[in-house]
Amino acid sequence: MIAYPPLDTDSPSFPSEADLVQMMCRHVPYIEQYWVDEDDEYGYFGTLDENEFKPAGGPINEMIIRSLGDELRGYAVLYQSEHYDASVAGVDKPHLLDRLNRCIRWICAHHVSGARRTKPFEWDGQWGDDWESSLWVADIAMAVHQVAESLDKNVLEAFYRVLAFEGDRFVGVDPPDGRWIDTKEEENAWDAYLLAWSYCLLPDHPNAEEWLYRGKLFAMNTFTTDRDRVDTSPFDGRPLKDWICTQTAHPDLTVENHGSFHPGYLGCGVLLLQGRLAFQLTGRQPPPHYLHHIEDAYDVLRRFFLFNGFTAYPSGQDWTYHEPDIQVQHAVMFEEFGDRFAGHILWQNLKYLDESMRAAGDGRFNARMPCASGGRYFQFETGIMGLLGILVIAGIPDFKPISEAEFRREQIGTDDYPYVWLQVRRSKQGLFSFAWRSLKRQVMGMVVPAGGEDTLGSDQDAFVGRFEVEGERLKPHPLYHNDRTTDRGFSTTGVIEYADGAVRQSIAVVALEDGETSIVIDRAVSDIELSVNEGFGLYIMNDFVNDNRVTISFDGGRRVVRGVGGKARVIETDSTWIKVAGCLGIETDGLQLLYEDAAERNSPERWKNLLQDRIFLRHQAAGRTVRDYACVIRQGRAGARRVGDGVERVKTDDDGLRAYRFRSLTGFAVVVANFTSTQKTIEIGGASVEVLALDTVVIQE
């Protein structure tokens, strides 16, 4: 393990080009171990053996070519950089150029316009003319442009052949349309990215003007809403609506991919900015089309930023957790649009990247991922090299972090995203959310308290828990829900079915307006025997970011739970309350809270690049009733200190009503949930309270 000296993040110059190049140099010895010499002219990084891909599976052409394009961008930057440190990288600059020449030559020879064929490339031993090959070729174009004067002539000629071929795929082609489930915005963005580089590097090609026009068209159709299709304001010589042939986003600019709202895809505007960079680097004025809705989409994305630079995924995450988010888009939003939040996020992520590399100690960027010579893990590593390269190529503005108080103050407010069935409360005490349609058609909640951004995570069954029959997890099917949102809080009340209606769960989730307190009320009945019935579910990251340990305390005990390398177990607290990392408190109306110590990385399901422990409840059935409880959540350090006063169930005369009294930031509150289909009246403190059908009310005492 290499003990890299930490970057000086306290320096006024951090992050500088020298800082980024230093991290890239650390990576070179790691990637060099995977170099393969085919002969004196050809070579590549990684493996072509699918059996060595980690994790197994994945689109073969993407796994290989995309990874190489990212790595080559980094090598091109290092070759040109005055800050290159051969003593850290272990190779000299001529070695870098040799890799660039041989690898680009190898890539182009295996393109469908070339002559070589090698297994396991999917198109009869070749690649190209693919749904994502625009992205791969545009990435390589940036590397080629960076070192064009130094590359062998036959390498340049081969690449320009590939670039023209991929650009010609879009002659006379309109952008594809897609809004629900699988937005087409990222595909249109990377096609616009390619067309920009095709035009800028081959301006004398017979189809160059067509590439320019199609690039504008695909850029305009990256983020589109229904309003764009009726917008008659002038844009580049015609009504804006005449540029639009798609709808890729909902009216509030949320986008769906992999089945539901996915914040990461709001960041695909970075591909348009990388296309725009082609014009800037070649001395041309970028068309304004490459900025269409860029700022608007980023404004939605930034609502999910956390103070430490991470992004919250309140509808679930099926990519790896917490890849260092060092996209050039943050730099552009800071420098050109004056968004200090963007600069803060990039600063925090570069700091995190340095910490991650030092935790790995072997040249990997992401300490949470295993070494791999192929597959997604390999691709994600090379991807960071490419992103660092883009930042250096584009130039690093002078951004700095903002204060925690300023960050939290600006994020205050509640957002309702009706098209994706999501509500989010942001306050000085943190983030709290609930989604009725998350990835894989799940239902889930999320809580990230202030001070717990490195510790509190989430997964697809958070807040709703798990039902299993004979080892098989039952899938939720939300029937209906009633949502209410105010400026500072929200409530949602609904019904979920499992196993074709054999299990029926009524659940209410309320984020109080005090910004600190929330409650989950869960009542479930079942007509089948359940082998697992675990309620609530709250996830705790326990990894190197929080020093591989989490402190929990409960009535009568305190534990320091070790993360990776610990002992897998379930800690029975014999307590109705628990505090996590000093910034989150949870309290039930009588059930014991249990803490599942995972001991090894376990999420997301496919990638397993993050260790998440879990807090949950176990229930004893009483006839058909298999759950009947309330759980109060308090965010922030002050909120955690308020745990221990108890959660009192208030007696009701109607079995369809549930009422609970508990302490909030501003005093005591009573929350009443009506799980029936008719309006109900309940007596609370001598007063009659009306509760609409399938609704929840909050009474502050």
Side-chain angles (χ1 to χ4, degrees), residues 479-526:
L479 292 183
Y480 32 73
H481 51 93
N482 186 16
D483 309 328
R484 297 188 182 277
T485 306
T486 68
D487 290 342
R488 299 203 172 221
F490 70 80
S491 69
T492 183
T493 314
V495 177
I496 307 167
E497 283 190 346
Y498 303 78
D500 296 323
V503 180
R504 186 180 178 95
Q505 180 182 26
S506 300
I507 191 166
V509 179
V510 182
L512 274 65
E513 292 189 341
D514 65 3
E516 172 185 290
T517 317
S518 307
I519 185 171
V520 176
I521 302 173
D522 187 346
R523 180 177 185 271
V525 296
S526 177

Side-chain angles (χ1 to χ4, degrees), residues 506 508 510 512 518-524 587-591 627-632 646-652 655 657-664 668-675 682 684 696-701:
S506 300
V510 182
L512 274 65
S518 307
I519 185 171
V520 176
I521 302 173
D522 187 346
R523 180 177 185 271
E587 194 162 14
T588 75
D589 65 322
L591 286 174
R627 287 188 194 167
D628 197 355
Y629 76 91
C631 200
V632 172
V647 179
E648 174 193 356
R649 180 165 172 175
V650 179
K651 186 177 183 303
T652 65
D655 191 50
L657 292 177
R658 290 295 180 273
Y660 295 90
R661 183 176 183 268
F662 53 92
R663 186 181 178 188
S664 70
F668 279 88
V670 177
V671 171
V672 184
N674 179 4
F675 292 132
I682 184 173
I684 299 289
T696 301
V697 297
V698 179
I699 305 158
Q700 289 289 159
E701 294 185 347

Side-chain angles (χ1 to χ4, degrees), residues 39-108:
D39 53 39
D40 292 341
E41 296 290 310
Y42 297 93
Y44 57 90
F45 293 103
T47 181
L48 302 183
D49 185 350
E50 298 172 69
N51 295 320
E52 295 181 15
F53 282 17
K54 294 181 182 179
I60 303 301
N61 290 358
E62 177 186 353
M63 297 296 96
I64 297 171
I65 301 300
R66 184 173 181 175
S67 301
L68 294 177
D70 284 327
E71 195 64 44
L72 291 172
R73 275 205 313 282
Y75 267 52
V77 163
L78 292 180
Y79 180 74
Q80 296 287 18
S81 177
E82 63 180 352
H83 302 289
Y84 180 70
D85 189 341
S87 67
V88 175
V91 297
D92 57 18
K93 283 193 173 184
H95 181 95
L96 300 178
L97 183 60
D98 177 70
R99 295 291 194 249
L100 285 159
N101 271 310
R102 293 166 70 191
C103 192
I104 296 171
R105 186 182 289 117
W106 185 88
I107 289 170
C108 295

